[in-house]
Amino acid sequence: MLLPSLPTAALLALALQSGVNAATTSDGKSKKPVEPCTITSSSGSFYDLRALSAERVAEGKKATKGARTEDWHSKGYDYNANFTLNFCAPVVDQVSDVIGIHDKARWGNVSAYYQQHGKIYSIGQQSSNLTLRGKRLVLQYDNGSPCESPESTKRATIDQDAATFAEDAPVRHKSTLISFHCEKDPVAQQAAPSFIGTPDGCAYFFEIRSAHACGGAEPTKQGVGPGAVFAIIGVIAILVYFLGGVFYQRNVAHARGWRQLPNYSMWASAGNFIKDMFIIATSSCASIVPRRRGYSALSISANGNSSGRGGRNSRDDENRLIDQLDEEWDD
């Protein structure tokens, strides 16, 4: 009887599953969504910066195990201000009265800021969209406080005839551009953002070196665990084995009843073996259990006399029974 082996059935099941997955991903709407603060390059390198993001912990709750809970800081040096920022998330510090941002709801979404002369300036709202520009991995924050430079905020022209002013340029807002570089040195110090500079007081540039900025293989995610996958493959293989065997025995060997099962003689022998073992086991258990003797059970000694307690009474009863039978016979 030719039946597909279990490895062949398993490979067939995996091939069918791969075909379904390929058909699903061919549709643009069926592709899995991109996780925030992650990106995959055209060459297949996967970047995940979520470990660099500081977590804001609500009052009364505990932080995620291993998560950072403090903002990142960078010295401004000649800029005369230090910077506080976070990656792919708002800063942990609660900021308020942010210059140029009148909507209080946006204060809790500031991802980078600096403080100067007692005032807080936002240099970008939260964003988790990473971008690859060649081999450069960058993250950009926009819509910060209005730029203070007159050249970048507005430009006024004087109408000599009407002697009026007209604005011909929109107000610009501060922004931040962060460049991430791969750090493979295991003895390097802890990653820290470095302030590169700002050419116009409106756009701010930082860079950070970290092992998390090194591209790697994307971790595979399955809807079910490895154990469940092997269980499904095993069930499919068993079904193929039994259904294929029944089909062969019924249509080729013309078997009927239980003999339609593949390798019926082997399964029957296994059943008989299990039954015999059960009988042996139950018999062994029954021999161990003590038996209760009945009233008429007597042990006879070698000389013909009954032994045990009450032996004499038993012999008298037998004699009376014999005499009674003799009288009935004579009658």
Side-chain angles (χ1 to χ4, degrees):
M1 179 177 62
L2 298 176
L3 291 175
S5 61
L6 293 181
T8 304
L11 291 176
L12 177 60
L14 289 176
L16 291 175
Q17 184 178 7
S18 300
V20 173
N21 293 337
T24 303
T25 55
S26 62
D27 185 5
K29 296 181 180 179
S30 300
K31 293 181 179 179
K32 62 179 181 181
V34 179
E35 294 289 339
C37 212
T38 65
I39 191 172
T40 304
S41 66
S42 57
S43 61
S45 297
F46 179 72
Y47 299 88
D48 188 353
L49 301 182
R50 288 175 291 185
L52 297 176
S53 179
E55 180 181 353
R56 180 185 292 177
V57 182
E59 185 178 358
K61 294 186 178 181
K62 294 183 179 180
T64 305
K65 185 178 181 180
R68 182 185 176 91
T69 57
E70 296 181 357
D71 289 320
W72 297 87
H73 300 280
S74 179
K75 292 184 178 180
Y77 298 103
D78 57 339
Y79 190 74
N80 297 324
N82 295 327
F83 299 91
T84 301
L85 64 160
N86 197 3
F87 303 120
C88 298
V91 292
V92 176
D93 296 342
Q94 299 291 337
V95 295
S96 59
D97 297 329
V98 182
I99 298 298
I101 300 180
H102 304 290
D103 186 2
K104 295 182 180 181
R106 295 179 58 195
W107 294 351
N109 202 35
V110 173
S111 284
Y113 74 93
Y114 66 91
Q115 191 171 358
Q116 197 173 55
H117 306 300
K119 298 179 180 180
I120 297 177
Y121 296 86
S122 169
I123 55 175
Q125 296 287 106
Q126 184 267 339
S127 175
S128 57
N129 298 323
L130 299 179
T131 304
L132 278 170
R133 293 192 174 97
K135 294 184 178 180
R136 295 285 185 178
L137 178 63
V138 297
L139 175 64
Q140 184 168 347
Y141 297 146
D142 296 315
N143 299 321
S145 298
C147 298
E148 296 177 348
S149 174
E151 293 80 10
S152 62
T153 55
K154 61 183 179 180
R155 186 172 66 251
T157 59
I158 301 177
D159 188 346
Q160 299 296 334
D161 296 332
T164 59
F165 294 92
E167 295 182 353
D168 61 355
V171 175
R172 291 179 60 195
H173 291 266
K174 295 179 182 290
S175 62
T176 296
L177 188 67
I178 307 171
S179 178
F180 297 89
H181 301 268
C182 175
E183 180 59 77
K184 295 183 179 180
D185 187 1
V187 297
Q189 296 181 353
Q190 185 180 6
S194 300
F195 175 60
I196 303 302
T198 173
D200 54 2
C202 200
Y204 297 80
F205 298 91
F206 297 84
E207 73 172 18
I208 180 172
R209 293 185 176 274
S210 172
H212 298 287
C214 301
E218 182 177 4
T220 57
K221 293 184 178 180
Q222 298 177 343
V224 293
V229 172
F230 282 107
I232 294 173
I233 294 174
V235 170
I236 294 175
I238 293 172
L239 288 176
V240 171
Y241 170 74
F242 277 101
L243 294 179
V246 169
F247 178 82
Y248 177 87
Q249 293 284 15
R250 183 176 181 84
N251 295 279
V252 178
H254 303 289
R256 294 295 182 269
W258 290 104
R259 296 188 178 276
Q260 296 179 87
L261 295 176
N263 299 322
Y264 169 76
S265 58
M266 180 188 71
W267 297 112
S269 300
N272 292 331
F273 174 77
I274 295 173
K275 182 175 68 175
D276 294 341
M277 293 300 296
F278 178 77
I279 293 174
I280 293 172
T282 53
S283 300
S284 301
C285 294
S287 62
I288 297 174
V289 176
R291 296 182 179 179
R292 180 176 298 176
R293 294 186 177 185
Y295 178 78
S296 60
L298 297 174
S299 57
I300 308 299
S301 60
N303 57 4
N305 296 326
S306 59
S307 61
R309 189 174 180 179
R312 185 179 300 274
N313 295 331
S314 299
R315 188 174 58 183
D316 294 340
D317 293 339
E318 291 178 0
N319 292 333
R320 282 197 297 271
L321 180 60
I322 293 173
D323 294 339
Q324 184 179 357
L325 291 175
D326 290 339
E327 292 176 359
E328 292 178 355
W329 181 262
D330 292 337
D331 293 339

